[in-house]
Amino acid sequence: MLDNYDTILVPDEVCKILRIGQNEIYKMLKERTIQGYKVGKTWRIPKENILHYIRSKTVSKTIFFKDKIISYQTFIGQVH
């Protein structure tokens, strides 16, 4: 999914991945919605934490239509 990215990301990369602004990513880091750590003044976010965040916002649903089971996933969140 994020194969083109390094194991550790910086906020600018996360903004591109989630299609959010810089203020939003810093808010998410401060509120610990996304887990990260600082090296000096720069935030570092493990790629696995971004994947965890995306998975936590994804819901699998099963629908019955004309006696057939249809499954799909929906992303729930404020990603623009």
Side-chain angles (χ1 to χ4, degrees):
M1 178 179 200
L2 302 176
D3 296 335
N4 295 337
Y5 291 93
D6 291 332
T7 313
I8 305 297
L9 307 170
V10 294
D12 285 345
E13 293 171 314
V14 178
C15 289
K16 289 176 187 173
I17 293 166
L18 297 180
R19 297 182 181 173
I20 59 175
Q22 284 189 340
N23 290 341
E24 186 65 23
I25 190 61
Y26 288 113
K27 178 181 170 188
M28 294 170 86
L29 288 163
K30 182 179 178 182
E31 294 174 351
R32 302 189 59 77
T33 305
I34 291 179
Q35 301 284 319
Y37 59 91
K38 277 188 165 183
V39 175
K41 294 182 179 182
T42 306
W43 279 97
R44 304 285 189 224
I45 304 108
K47 181 168 48 175
E48 187 58 41
N49 293 1
I50 302 305
L51 292 170
H52 175 69
Y53 173 77
I54 293 169
R55 286 185 203 113
S56 75
K57 298 295 182 184
T58 303
V59 176
S60 293
K61 294 184 179 183
T62 302
I63 297 177
F64 294 93
F65 180 74
K66 295 183 180 183
D67 299 328
K68 292 182 181 178
I69 297 174
I70 302 169
S71 295
Y72 69 94
Q73 290 187 335
T74 305
F75 184 78
I76 300 173
Q78 299 178 6
V79 176
H80 311 300

